[in-house]
Each structure stands twice: as C-alpha cells, then as structure tokens.
Amino acid sequence: MQPGRIMVAEHHGSNVIKLVGDVRLTLCNVLDDYFEEMFSSTDFSSVIVDLTEADNVDSTTLGLLAKLALMTRNRFNFVPVILSTNPDITRVLQSMGFDRVFKIRQHPLSTDQDLGELPQVEGSEGQVKQKVLEAHRVLMGLNDTNKARFRELVSMLEKKY
C-alpha cells in the first residue's frame, strides 16, 4: 500500500480533494486546515472528495470527511459529492451513513492533471488527539451504529484530556 497523500485543486470556488493511498490520522491536521482555508474563501461554491485512488481511509479521516459534509450543508446549504470506485470503501461509506451527508458516486474524475499535493504538516500529539476525538464524535452523530462502534474509543480519548 502506498503512503497516504492529499491532492487538491480549486478553480473559481470549485474544489476537488483527492485522497490517495493509505490515508490515516497522520494527515488529519493538514486536511482539517485545508477545510478551514477552503471555507474561508469568498468564492467557495462546491467540493468533490475523490477516493478513487485511496487504498484505505481510517476512521479519523472518515470523521473529518463527515465534518466537511456537515459544514458544507450547514454553511452553504448543499450536499457535497464523494467519488468511490472501490467497492470496499463504498461499503464502508454506506455503512457509516455517508449516503446521508454526501452524494456518493462510483465514477472517477475524467482528469486529475491540475491537482497539487498538500504538504504534510506536523502537529503536536495533543493536536492530533483532538482531531481524532472530534472526527470520531462526528462519526458517532451520523447514525446509531457508529455511536455504538466508537463509544469506547471516544470515552477513552475524553478521559485522556
């Protein structure tokens, strides 16, 4: 499995975020920072998340993606698109309730030549733990199955703070 990378592109407020390889919590700070940058843009109009080249997406990353979808709905009143051509990842998305907050499409982008890679940003252990906790709280809010699935993890993380 190739290491995780985050590729992004923006054109006139339309954003594409492409997750590649094994995407794990080590990328959570850069991903969350990009969301804030994207949403603070005065011309933000849309976002597509492309998972077609992702080999694995961990629960922290999924929680951040759920946060993205909820922020998009609450701030801008639209449902973002997530692309997934991997049946295993699509199954995880559906089981986690992503079909409630994203339009899930199983077709890749026609081209990704304009995507640039986000540089990795080192965060403190505390920052990473906070992102992990926040991401899992968001996942728990999507459905009862997630609530049961992540209750112990969230409880354990909360005790450490």
Side-chain angles (χ1 to χ4, degrees):
M1 227 181 286
Q2 66 177 311
R5 297 183 358 224
I6 302 172
M7 310 293 289
V8 296
E10 185 275 334
H11 183 70
H12 299 296
S14 297
N15 297 266
V16 176
I17 302 169
K18 184 172 188 151
L19 306 183
V20 178
D22 185 20
V23 184
R24 298 195 169 270
L25 64 93
T26 54
L27 297 173
C28 68
N29 284 329
V30 69
L31 187 59
D32 201 42
D33 288 349
Y34 183 76
F35 293 167
E36 292 303 321
E37 178 184 323
M38 181 178 65
F39 287 137
S40 68
S41 172
T42 57
D43 65 346
F44 174 80
S45 60
S46 67
V47 60
I48 295 173
V49 177
D50 184 347
L51 302 179
T52 59
E53 292 185 34
D55 299 319
N56 180 60
V57 182
D58 75 356
S59 58
T60 299
T61 305
L62 289 171
L64 289 175
L65 293 178
K67 174 184 171 184
L68 166 72
L70 294 171
M71 289 173 69
T72 302
R73 182 181 67 196
N74 295 339
R75 288 188 186 177
F76 303 99
N77 201 31
F78 74 87
V79 178
V81 173
I82 196 163
L83 307 174
S84 175
T85 55
N86 180 326
D88 294 330
I89 290 177
T90 302
R91 193 170 19 265
V92 168
L93 295 174
Q94 291 170 335
S95 74
M96 293 271 192
F98 273 58
D99 52 338
R100 295 179 181 172
V101 294
F102 277 100
K103 294 176 188 169
I104 300 174
R105 302 290 182 254
Q106 296 180 18
H107 307 287
L109 291 174
S110 57
T111 181
D112 62 2
Q113 67 186 24
D114 294 326
L115 295 174
E117 184 173 357
L118 286 177
Q120 291 201 23
V121 175
E122 294 296 321
S124 70
E125 183 178 338
Q127 289 173 315
V128 171
K129 285 180 183 176
Q130 190 60 37
K131 298 289 184 194
V132 170
L133 181 58
E134 177 187 21
H136 286 85
R137 283 180 178 153
V138 172
L139 284 176
M140 287 176 67
L142 290 181
N143 63 35
D144 290 338
T145 302
N146 291 352
K147 190 176 289 187
R149 181 180 288 148
F150 297 114
R151 182 175 304 151
E152 287 182 36
L153 174 62
V154 168
S155 178
M156 179 191 71
L157 290 171
E158 289 172 337
K159 289 177 185 175
K160 290 186 177 186
Y161 288 109

